Amino acid sequence: MKDASPAKPYALHLGVIALLFALSFVLPDYHHGLLARIMVLAVFAMGYNMLFGYVGLLSLGHAMFFSAGLYGAGLAVIHLGWSVPAAFAAGILCGAALSLVIGVLALRTSGVAFMIVTMMFAQVFYLVILYFASWTGGDQGMVVPQPARVLGFGATSLDLTNPTVRYMSALALFSTVLLVTLAVVRSRYGRVLVAIRENEERTKMLGYDTFSNKLAAVVISGTICAASGAAYALLFGYVGSSFASVQYSILPLLWVLLGGAATTLGPMIGTLFMYYIVDITSGYTSAYLLIVGIALILLVLFFPKGILGTIRQRWLGWLP
């Protein structure tokens, strides 16, 4: 029987945040850095989940939004000399503006056509990055200078290259997006998105403007992905065209499916699982992709709705 208590989901999410905070004091250096990267990329997956999991729109263009934030922040620091907060804001605004334009155009389609259109826009964005190589670094990308990755001035400044500062910054971004996502999906608007996913025509009959609601979801999704990209550029100091490739649109889809689509913590679990299974198996054999493939097949067989999705279906129906 489902527990309708509104306190349980928030307590769970705050507990996860507290656990990640505590881990920063006990993890070895390698895992400390890896988990910081996973949290930033989990935000990317959470942005993707907002559109795919809750609206049911399969996109192959989200690498474009991630890269808009990545290059928006990176180029603002490298070429314009902007501060970290200004560059981070620039990356988010680039992603929000791009997602609004792409949403207006791509939402004229649906289903497979939507997937193809978003992939085409992403490929165009990728080629633009390669064409303006003098500004973007092309295939080689660019390194964000270490002196520019400092937040604040003087004695109160925070160096984002410091492992502890980087971890806490990644945790702050992850926590903020996680709680905002939880609030959105549990709101009236979140229920409208689920209604659109289940039956768009019936939702229209109830008087809802499905186009506007889906457009808002695209913008929210793209903005979250851009925030992840901007944070990646500033925390890890690299911007590159590989992040704009179609492969980087498939990765968040895989992470979301593994963790559980339409679950708030699923993207984090999926990203964590994929990163560590690749990391562990690659340390033992060069054929690690074979082992990863077998593990994924077993996961699909025993957890058909993803790890958290299946747990919610079978045991914990109150999970958001």
Side-chain angles (χ1 to χ4, degrees):
M1 182 177 178
K2 293 185 179 181
D3 191 331
S5 172
K8 271 191 174 183
Y10 286 99
L12 172 64
H13 288 67
L14 291 174
V16 169
I17 293 170
L19 175 62
L20 291 171
F21 178 78
L23 285 175
S24 68
F25 299 102
V26 298
L27 285 176
D29 292 342
Y30 175 75
H31 295 285
H32 192 273
L34 186 60
L35 189 54
R37 193 180 301 268
I38 288 172
M39 284 190 288
V40 172
L41 292 177
V43 172
F44 180 26
M46 289 158 67
Y48 188 91
N49 187 43
M50 178 62 68
L51 192 64
F52 173 69
Y54 293 99
V55 189
L57 291 173
L58 175 58
S59 164
L60 288 181
H62 267 57
M64 169 176 50
F65 303 138
F66 180 87
S67 298
L70 185 83
Y71 278 94
L75 298 185
V77 170
I78 295 170
H79 293 303
L80 302 177
W82 288 11
S83 65
V84 167
F88 183 69
I92 293 176
L93 288 174
C94 287
L98 183 62
S99 59
L100 176 61
V101 174
I102 298 300
V104 169
L105 298 174
L107 286 175
R108 298 173 183 271
T109 64
S110 61
V112 176
F114 180 84
M115 178 187 70
I116 294 173
V117 168
T118 53
M119 182 178 67
M120 290 171 59
F121 278 122
Q123 190 64 18
V124 169
F125 189 84
Y126 174 69
L127 294 175
V128 167
I129 292 173
L130 296 182
Y131 183 78
F132 292 99
S134 59
W135 277 83
T136 63
D139 283 329
Q140 296 182 347
M142 293 184 296
V143 175
V144 181
Q146 182 175 349
R149 294 160 59 196
V150 176
L151 183 62
F153 302 95
T156 59
S157 63
L158 296 174
D159 185 357
L160 296 181
T161 63
N162 179 283
T164 301
V165 175
R166 182 169 53 201
Y167 185 97
M168 290 302 176
S169 299
L171 177 59
L173 175 66
F174 172 79
S175 303
T176 302
V177 173
L178 179 64
L179 294 177
V180 168
T181 301
L182 177 62
V184 169
V185 301
R186 289 175 63 84
S187 68
R188 180 181 176 182
Y189 172 68
R191 294 185 179 92
V192 172
L193 294 183
V194 173
I196 292 172
R197 181 192 68 195
E198 297 300 320
N199 194 320
E200 184 171 354
E201 291 303 318
R202 183 171 293 178
T203 307
K204 286 181 180 179
M205 291 174 60
L206 292 173
Y208 291 100
D209 184 347
T210 58
F211 180 85
S212 297
N213 281 285
K214 288 194 294 184
L215 179 59
V218 172
V219 173
I220 293 172
S221 175
T223 302
I224 292 174
C225 293
S228 173
Y232 194 97
L234 297 171
L235 295 179
F236 302 103
Y238 177 74
V239 297
S241 61
S242 59
F243 293 107
S245 64
V246 175
Q247 176 192 358
Y248 243 80
S249 289
I250 296 174
L251 286 177
L253 170 62
L254 178 61
W255 298 334
V256 168
L257 289 175
L258 286 176
T263 62
T264 50
L265 286 170
M268 176 60 178
I269 293 174
T271 308
L272 187 70
F273 178 87
M274 273 302 298
Y275 253 78
Y276 267 101
I277 192 172
V278 170
D279 184 69
I280 292 170
T281 55
S282 63
Y284 289 97
T285 175
S286 59
Y288 65 93
L289 288 178
L290 175 62
I291 299 175
V292 171
I294 294 173
L296 293 180
I297 291 173
L298 293 174
L299 192 65
V300 170
L301 289 175
F302 292 101
F303 294 87
K305 291 192 174 183
I307 297 171
L308 204 61
T310 302
I311 290 174
R312 179 174 63 184
Q313 181 187 39
R314 295 178 180 174
W315 301 293
L316 302 175
W318 56 268
L319 286 175

